[in-house]
Amino acid sequence: MSFMYTEQKICRNCKDQFILEPEDLEFYKKMGVPPVGLCPDCRFKRRAQFRNERILYSRACNKCAKSIISVYHEQSPYTVYCLDCFDADDWDAFQYGVPYDRDRPFFEQMGDLLKRVPKKALGITGGSNNVNSDYTNTAANNKNCYLLFNTSFCEDTMYSRGLKDCRDTVDAYFGINMERCYEAVNVQKSSGVIFGHNVTNCIDSWFLLSCTDCINCFGCVNLRHKNYFWFNEQLSKEEYERRLAEVKGSYQKLGEARQQFEEFALQFPHRENNNIKSEDCTGDYLFESKGLRDCYEITGGEDSKYMFSSKGIKDSYDTLGYGYGCELLLDCAATGFANRVIGSYWVENGHDCEYCFFTLASENCVGCDGLKKGAYCILNKQYSEEEYTALRKHIIAELSQSGA
């Protein structure tokens, strides 16, 4: 017989109290790990340190010496390759492998390995097909883009994050199928929206909040299927165009209109959250998901907790970014098309990986960095299945005893 109970803990880092619910304890048991010692906030901060999206540096590639843009500062301890050099076939991460030393702490050995294995300058996978978009990161298949992050299939877009299939857009966050938009947050399938927040299927409108299917609207809140509205008031086409002409092109009048809109919006009820087609969830900006707890900006998530900006993921805890096709992830960042991965960054098309860094198409790996098609590897060294199992058991015992 199993008993449902909660466990109160004190965070090792911030010393705040937090609670592990019965479902938390069940998940950790399923993953074969002891209950966590850090609170959710401290776990997120630690995880976010491995995903530098928006701080870029100019430096030289350590292989070809070409000037490049990188997420690694030139004074960082890592060897950094440009995208072409990193994806080339003339080097292999296995060459940096070392035997696991039972007499040294595991994370100390892994730290040494991370400094030796070359790092990719940017978080862009091979074959991403970015064109004239050097100043982008965690981005793919973009053209003529600048300072664009966590974004794909965009063109002539800049200063934005979390976009897909957008054109001629500036200063936007979290949107799909936008064109000619500016200062947009969670704007979907819209064109010509300026200063929009939570907007869907709108055209040629200014200062919208929680509006759908609106055309030629200005300063409107909570409207549906409207045309030629000015601060939620119906106008004729001629009067609307006259008022708009007075504001357009004037920085002062635009600023006054923005202040008026912000005050106007306070008069209206706001939704409890911005979740759509989601069931039994807590968090915000959750779409077509169910059974999520304390999650944000998730699409297609299921039975998971403490996730941010992940898509198509289920039965996982503590993830940041990516997520497509994933199951049983624990404390991972930028991981996709993988299952049963713990404490790792940028694992793709792999399974049963623990404490790995940028491993592709690999399985049963511990403490590896940069491997492609690795199996039964520890610290980038290949072992037989029997040797791997014994060494992994020793590492787990060490980490459990130290409380890592």
Side-chain angles (χ1 to χ4, degrees):
M1 178 181 294
S2 62
F3 296 91
M4 304 295 284
Y5 64 95
T6 62
E7 183 176 324
Q8 290 189 348
K9 305 200 73 172
I10 301 297
C11 176
R12 293 200 310 263
N13 183 49
C14 68
K15 309 306 179 185
D16 285 348
Q17 186 179 90
F18 67 101
I19 296 177
L20 295 179
E21 301 290 346
E23 65 266 25
D24 303 332
L25 299 171
E26 282 293 322
F27 182 79
Y28 297 135
K29 182 179 179 181
K30 182 191 301 185
M31 297 298 290
V33 300
V36 294
L38 297 178
C39 69
D41 285 347
C42 288
R43 298 201 304 269
F44 178 84
K45 292 174 183 177
R46 180 180 64 179
R47 189 164 56 254
Q49 294 179 46
F50 286 87
R51 186 179 169 91
N52 171 20
E53 285 188 6
R54 292 174 286 177
I55 301 177
L56 306 179
Y57 304 98
S58 177
R59 60 168 296 154
C61 170
N62 288 129
K63 187 178 181 185
C64 69
K66 180 176 68 175
S67 178
I68 60 173
I69 302 300
S70 173
V71 295
Y72 297 98
H73 192 276
E74 61 182 353
Q75 295 181 355
S76 75
Y78 303 110
T79 299
V80 178
Y81 285 0
C82 68
L83 304 187
D84 291 338
C85 288
F86 190 90
D87 292 333
D89 294 328
D90 59 354
W91 75 279
D92 191 333
F94 280 104
Q95 71 191 66
Y96 298 92
V98 293
Y100 169 64
D101 185 349
R102 292 172 177 260
D103 297 323
R104 290 182 62 202
F106 167 74
F107 282 131
E108 182 180 296
Q109 298 177 67
M110 184 177 175
D112 291 342
L113 179 71
L114 289 175
K115 293 175 183 177
R116 291 194 304 270
V117 179
K119 301 293 178 286
K120 201 167 193 177
L122 296 167
I124 296 175
T125 56
S128 63
N129 297 319
N130 284 327
V131 177
N132 191 30
S133 304
D134 293 339
Y135 290 81
T136 63
N137 188 38
T138 59
N141 301 296
N142 300 298
K143 182 180 180 181
N144 301 329
C145 293
Y146 179 72
L147 291 181
L148 206 61
F149 307 98
N150 194 39
T151 290
S152 60
F153 300 100
C154 290
E155 187 172 346
D156 299 317
T157 296
M158 57 185 178
Y159 307 128
S160 300
R161 181 195 183 275
L163 307 186
K164 184 178 180 182
D165 296 316
C166 297
R167 305 288 182 273
D168 300 303
T169 293
V170 178
D171 288 338
Y173 184 94
F174 198 56
I176 298 176
N177 292 326
M178 286 190 290
E179 186 171 353
R180 298 184 298 107
C181 292
Y182 174 69
E183 285 281 0
V185 177
N186 188 32
V187 173
Q188 318 286 338
K189 301 178 181 178
S190 298
S191 176
V193 172
I194 313 298
F195 299 106
H197 190 177
N198 299 338
V199 172
T200 304
N201 292 327
C202 291
I203 299 174
D204 295 333
S205 298
W206 299 63
F207 300 109
L208 298 184
L209 174 62
S210 299
C211 291
T212 301
D213 296 325
C214 292
I215 303 175
N216 297 309
C217 291
F218 190 104
C220 295
V221 181
N222 294 347
L223 293 189
R224 303 289 185 271
H225 316 296
K226 302 298 182 183
N227 197 356
Y228 298 115
F229 268 66
W230 190 276
F231 286 93
N232 284 35
E233 176 189 358
Q234 177 74 68
L235 300 180
S236 67
K237 176 182 178 182
E238 293 74 20
E239 177 63 15
Y240 177 87
E241 292 178 346
R242 184 190 69 79
R243 293 189 187 185
L244 182 61
E246 292 179 352
V247 175
K248 289 178 64 176
S250 171
Y251 181 82
Q252 178 180 347
K253 290 185 177 180
L254 193 63
E256 292 171 353
R258 183 171 188 171
Q259 183 175 355
Q260 180 185 355
F261 172 71
E262 291 173 353
E263 295 173 356
F264 179 74
L266 295 176
Q267 304 175 25
F268 294 84
H270 291 232
R271 290 183 56 182
E272 175 188 12
N273 55 54
N274 298 285
N275 302 339
I276 298 176
K277 296 182 180 179
S278 294
E279 178 183 351
D280 189 27
C281 295
T282 62
D284 209 355
Y285 294 102
L286 308 177
F287 304 100
E288 298 176 350
S289 299
K290 64 179 181 179
L292 301 185
R293 293 290 180 271
D294 297 308
C295 294
Y296 301 87
E297 296 183 21
I298 307 296
T299 299
E302 185 176 337
D303 298 328
S304 299
K305 202 167 183 178
Y306 305 125
M307 302 194 303
F308 173 70
S309 195
S310 297
K311 297 177 176 64
I313 186 172
K314 65 179 182 179
D315 206 9
S316 297
Y317 270 49
D318 294 304
T319 71
L320 174 58
Y322 214 167
Y324 287 107
C326 284
E327 186 174 356
L328 297 177
L329 301 190
L330 172 61
D331 204 9
C332 295
T335 292
F337 301 104
N339 65 79
R340 194 167 285 278
V341 178
I342 298 174
S344 298
Y345 170 79
W346 203 351
V347 173
E348 282 188 353
N349 297 301
H351 65 86
D352 295 286
C353 294
E354 298 156 338
Y355 307 112
C356 289
F357 193 101
F358 191 67
T359 58
L360 306 179
S362 298
E363 59 184 78
N364 296 295
C365 292
V366 178
C368 294
D369 181 9
L371 290 189
K372 300 176 182 178
K373 299 182 180 180
Y376 300 110
C377 297
I378 297 175
L379 300 176
N380 284 27
K381 178 177 171 56
Q382 179 101 42
Y383 292 93
S384 68
E385 182 177 353
E386 294 75 16
E387 291 174 318
Y388 170 85
T389 302
L391 290 176
R392 177 179 176 274
K393 184 177 181 180
H394 183 274
I395 293 171
I396 291 175
E398 176 212 319
L399 298 181
S400 299
Q401 185 176 3
S402 66

